[in-house]
Amino acid sequence: LPPAPFNQDPKCMARPPRYRLSGLPQLVLHRGSPGRPLFRGDQDYRFFLDSLAANSRRYRCALHAYVLMPDHVHLLLTPDIPDGVARLMQASGRQWSHYYKQSIQPTGRPWAGRYKSTVVEAQTWLLDCYCHIEQTPLHTGLVTTPEAYPWSSYAAHALCRPDPLILEHPVYTALAADGQMRCMAYRKRCLSPPDETTRRQITDATNAGWALGSEHFQQEIEKSIHRRVRPLPRGGYRGRPPG
């Protein structure tokens, strides 16, 4: 059968289909309901991380980086099965909703809606996504240094602190053969974090569901899933050239 035509209806593009692809990193953002705290204290954060760990194993998703913010969750995952991320997010979201109503807020919904996601070209964008996620507490003013925030994977990547949730991506492990040197290389990279333009490209791609990568990468994803994964050429995010 020929590929299905790209649907350019703005109403359709507001809720793009999920990326049901295996073996490629996906950047995931799930926001809490406006005006409601998603997490209140250490027990809440730990519960969510425990749920995330169990569901990552159950649905065969490697978790590479994460941050739990008071009002949203940001994850970088690579699924081994096509619907792994969708099933993980559904299970974790359902478990958190039950916990939330029992322990935090008996009425209302903890989540603002469906999670948002994008597929990531590892060679060109993965480490920028690591930094983007882990430096969110710094950019939002919660802390003055990323290591001061306890609910992210920064300490695992930059300070070599063991984190049982994390399964490193080969692009990260390729920074250096030795673990300490690898952490040092990553820490040095984060001293020059993604600039505002790069952060905006990551955010726009996640919110719109556009593939985050080079034009060639986007073309290959379009061939694979038979739908548009980049905006029309007249404007907006167009991907980042390799290098």
Side-chain angles (χ1 to χ4, degrees):
L1 294 175
F6 295 139
N7 193 330
Q8 299 173 15
D9 187 325
K11 294 181 180 179
C12 295
M13 294 311 298
R15 296 188 64 180
R18 297 299 185 202
Y19 284 102
R20 299 188 180 276
L21 298 169
S22 60
L24 293 174
Q26 292 188 36
L27 187 61
V28 173
L29 171 65
H30 207 179
R31 293 195 176 278
S33 293
R36 294 173 179 264
L38 193 56
F39 306 104
R40 293 184 310 176
D42 291 359
Q43 180 178 332
D44 301 339
Y45 289 102
R46 291 193 183 101
F47 179 91
F48 189 89
L49 289 178
D50 289 343
S51 172
L52 182 62
N55 287 312
S56 295
R57 292 190 296 269
R58 181 178 182 183
Y59 298 113
R60 298 168 58 186
C61 289
L63 177 63
H64 307 307
Y66 67 88
V67 66
L68 308 186
M69 297 292 288
D71 61 352
H72 73 271
V73 173
H74 227 148
L75 312 172
L76 185 62
L77 305 142
T78 297
D80 282 342
I81 55 177
D83 61 346
V85 169
R87 296 175 69 182
L88 179 152
M89 294 303 295
Q90 182 182 46
S92 294
R94 184 171 56 246
Q95 290 166 8
W96 181 251
S97 294
H98 178 75
Y99 173 91
Y100 184 91
K101 290 183 178 181
Q102 293 293 320
S103 305
I104 299 177
Q105 178 71 39
T107 60
R109 297 179 179 181
W111 303 109
R114 303 194 325 160
Y115 72 88
K116 300 179 183 297
S117 66
T118 180
V119 65
V120 177
E121 185 177 31
Q123 292 298 325
T124 56
W125 278 95
L126 191 87
L127 293 179
D128 278 343
C129 288
Y130 270 50
C131 293
H132 175 77
I133 290 171
E134 294 171 351
Q135 297 213 357
T136 300
L138 181 64
H139 282 281
T140 56
L142 290 182
V143 293
T144 56
T145 58
E147 59 265 28
Y149 194 74
W151 309 112
S152 85
S153 50
Y154 179 84
H157 296 135
L159 306 176
C160 292
R161 292 179 188 169
D163 189 333
L165 274 74
I166 295 298
L167 183 61
E168 298 299 0
H169 193 279
V171 168
Y172 172 81
T173 57
L175 287 173
D178 175 77
Q180 291 291 334
M181 295 298 293
R182 190 179 305 135
C183 288
M184 185 181 300
Y186 181 74
R187 193 162 61 248
K188 182 178 180 180
R189 181 187 179 96
C190 287
L191 291 176
S192 299
D195 59 24
E196 185 58 33
T197 298
T198 300
R199 291 178 61 82
R200 175 51 56 189
Q201 288 177 326
I202 294 173
T203 299
D204 289 348
T206 306
N207 286 331
W210 304 129
L212 185 61
S214 64
E215 183 176 356
H216 173 74
F217 176 76
Q218 294 171 329
Q219 289 172 346
E220 292 300 309
I221 297 298
E222 287 178 344
K223 291 177 184 177
S224 176
I225 66 175
H226 307 314
R227 74 168 176 88
R228 178 172 288 280
V229 298
R230 49 187 165 157
L232 296 172
R234 62 177 177 268
Y237 171 74
R238 294 178 177 82
R240 178 180 180 176

